[in-house]
Amino acid sequence: MRSTTSRRAFLAAGGSLAAASALPALSGCSSLAAADEDPDTLVVHSQLGTTAPGSPTYLAALDRFRKETGLKVRNLVNGDDLAQVYETSRLARKEPDVVMVNLYDKTLAWTDVGATVDVKGYLDDWGLRERVRDVALDAWTDAKGRLRAFPYFATNWPVAFNRSLLDRAGVGRIPTTGDELIGAARKLRGKNLSPVTVGGNDWTGQKLLAQVIQTFLSQDEARHVYTTGDFSGRNARRGIEYFVELRDAGVFTDKAQGLTSDTMTTQFNTQSAAMQSAMSSALAKVPDAVARHTDVGGWPLAPGAAHDKPTIIRTYTLIGFWISPNGTKKIDAVEKFLKFFYREDTVARFIKEAGRDMALRSDAVSTGFPLVAAAQRLGGDVSEVLLPDVYVPPAASQPLITATSTSFTRGTSAAKVRSVLEAAYRGV
């Protein structure tokens, strides 16, 4: 990737010149205080602690951990800017000890550039390997055999179908083919209802676009496409053409190119849209009155698809526990922290209280979150496509969001969609 050399030099070294130049980026943020803490205080940097799904369960778990161990834990919280904030604190050698974040964009390079450490030895030494699903270990292991982080949250990403709205529009069954989806969209629009709501201007739209494009791709082909940005192959082009056909037939909500994940969630949860492609954390937020008449399934297929059943995305890289170079200086405290969060009772509470899917083995079931539980049970009723996040070079991640907005703009040709997708990889 384009910036690997510079990032390796700065992040691994944490030199004073780099740190000094980075300090203004953290105005108002307390992350730089991490290295000045009492050496007995474990500093954890997380997206959990405010409104993120699972935050109350996480904060309660932190309190239990403090009481059980007597250890002090400081919880730093950031949202989508967590990776940038962490990198800046690393430049100043004031990074937190443990980071909870997903494998995506900037974080893909962290272990390689020395911003975080390979945790495979710790996983084995602490006897935690058997707690982790094999597929999760594979997903978090890089090409050099290094385990980037301790896997924790996973997610299912099915399609939610509001049966009540479909019935009101005269749609007799959940659509499983592209033709059925187009027919359903026409009937829904006839009742002034949006068909598929999607955040066409953010990551939700990017994931759905990638899912539709993979309609005609094997997993090996999809891996090549999203690693290289080469959408010129016949099957990739067919997938783009299928997306454009659905878009211009009115399948997606109006002006989807300007909507966000929050808009998508609101439209579905207030029953102004009949369908959404939603990860399990969004399914957990669907009100009970709506969930009672909502089914989950896969994205409808086109003739000649590479899959024999409608597709979903399933991934085990949503959140992991990364250990920083500073964290290795407090490794005894980190060990206690990880063992506590890997305990069955802690894991079960995330499943039962927060409706989270986990990358760890557990017998707990999300009974209080019926749509999450239904997605977990889909099994062989659906086919899986790749989550592109772990294959897209970091430098292409944000340009792909811009390309997504263009792609969801009605009237944009398939050739133009392909062009903007490939342009996102230029300079990588």
Side-chain angles (χ1 to χ4, degrees):
M1 65 195 72
R2 178 175 52 187
S3 57
T4 295
T5 301
S6 60
R7 291 175 74 198
R8 177 179 293 110
F10 287 124
L11 289 177
S16 58
L17 177 61
S21 66
L23 289 177
L26 278 181
S27 59
C29 178
S30 59
S31 293
L32 281 174
D36 300 325
E37 292 282 353
D38 181 328
D40 295 327
T41 297
L42 187 67
V43 184
V44 181
H45 196 178
S46 173
Q47 292 176 317
L48 301 179
T50 53
T51 60
S55 291
T57 301
Y58 171 69
L59 294 176
L62 280 184
D63 285 341
R64 291 196 308 276
F65 175 74
R66 293 183 183 108
K67 291 175 182 177
E68 286 186 20
T69 64
L71 291 171
K72 292 180 287 186
V73 181
R74 183 181 177 198
N75 187 46
L76 305 176
V77 183
N78 281 97
D80 292 340
D81 61 341
L82 183 149
Q84 182 62 48
V85 172
Y86 174 78
E87 289 192 359
T88 307
S89 63
R90 172 59 193 154
L91 292 175
R93 295 185 180 179
K94 294 178 179 290
E95 80 273 7
D97 306 308
V98 176
V99 190
M100 296 174 62
V101 70
N102 60 327
L103 186 60
Y104 171 64
D105 196 0
K106 293 177 180 293
T107 69
L108 289 167
W110 279 0
T111 304
D112 195 48
V113 301
T116 54
V117 303
D118 178 4
V119 304
K120 182 168 61 177
Y122 296 126
L123 183 79
D124 292 328
D125 291 345
W126 298 343
L128 298 178
R129 178 174 289 272
E130 295 305 314
R131 294 286 295 124
V132 189
R133 298 175 185 270
D134 291 342
V135 64
L137 288 173
D138 289 343
W140 282 93
T141 300
D142 69 13
K144 297 180 180 178
R146 298 171 298 199
L147 184 63
R148 294 176 169 108
F150 285 80
Y152 207 58
F153 284 176
T155 191
N156 285 310
W157 211 315
V159 182
F161 300 90
N162 186 317
R163 295 191 315 276
S164 178
L165 297 186
L166 292 173
D167 289 344
R168 189 192 309 176
V171 180
R173 52 172 282 177
I174 300 297
T176 59
T177 70
D179 287 343
E180 290 175 353
L181 181 59
I182 291 171
R186 289 171 178 161
K187 291 180 178 180
L188 286 162
R189 287 184 175 279
K191 297 293 184 179
N192 294 318
L193 295 168
S194 292
V196 178
T197 180
V198 59
N201 196 33
D202 69 7
W203 53 273
T204 53
Q206 188 228 342
K207 301 305 182 293
L208 181 55
L209 173 61
Q211 182 175 358
V212 177
I213 289 175
Q214 290 184 66
T215 298
F216 300 96
L217 296 173
S218 69
Q219 291 209 352
D220 284 343
E221 288 174 321
R223 194 174 293 110
H224 169 79
V225 167
Y226 283 97
T227 300
T228 65
D230 178 9
F231 292 82
S232 64
R234 178 173 179 269
N235 290 332
R237 287 186 283 109
R238 290 175 70 193
I240 294 172
E241 290 164 0
Y242 179 45
F243 169 82
V244 168
E245 177 187 1
L246 296 178
R247 185 202 64 201
D248 288 349
V251 162
F252 306 113
T253 191
D254 291 341
K255 300 180 180 179
Q257 70 272 19
L259 304 185
T260 66
S261 59
D262 289 340
T263 314
M264 179 188 79
T265 300
T266 299
Q267 286 190 347
F268 188 83
N269 290 355
T270 58
Q271 302 194 83
S272 60
M275 295 168 272
Q276 67 169 343
S277 172
M279 63 194 303
S280 50
S281 58
L283 295 177
K285 294 181 179 179
V286 175
D288 291 342
V290 180
R292 281 196 292 271
H293 49 254
T294 297
D295 289 341
V296 294
W299 185 262
L301 296 179
H307 309 274
D308 57 357
K309 296 171 185 173
T311 65
I312 68 166
I313 297 173
R314 184 174 285 135
T315 180
Y316 297 87
T317 57
L318 196 59
I319 279 186
F321 295 97
W322 308 65
I323 300 177
S324 75
N326 274 341
T328 62
K329 303 171 187 176
K330 304 176 186 176
I331 202 62
D332 290 342
V334 173
E335 177 181 359
K336 292 176 182 178
F337 182 80
L338 265 297
K339 285 183 174 179
F340 175 86
F341 274 88
Y342 262 45
R343 268 178 15 193
E344 172 58 24
D345 62 319
T346 305
V347 172
R349 294 184 74 157
F350 277 105
I351 295 171
K352 294 177 179 179
E353 295 176 7
R356 300 304 311 228
D357 284 312
M358 306 299 290
L360 306 185
R361 305 180 196 278
S362 176
D363 293 327
V365 180
S366 302
T367 54
F369 302 88
L371 299 184
V372 176
Q376 292 168 346
R377 293 193 299 266
L378 282 173
D381 294 334
V382 291
S383 294
E384 292 184 29
V385 297
L386 292 180
L387 178 73
D389 293 8
V390 298
Y391 304 106
V392 173
S397 293
Q398 287 308 308
L400 277 177
I401 300 297
T402 302
T404 295
S405 180
T406 301
S407 300
F408 272 96
T409 302
R410 292 185 69 171
T412 305
S413 69
K416 177 63 175 178
V417 171
R418 175 190 159 193
S419 175
V420 296
L421 289 172
E422 291 184 336
Y425 285 76
R426 288 178 189 154
V428 171

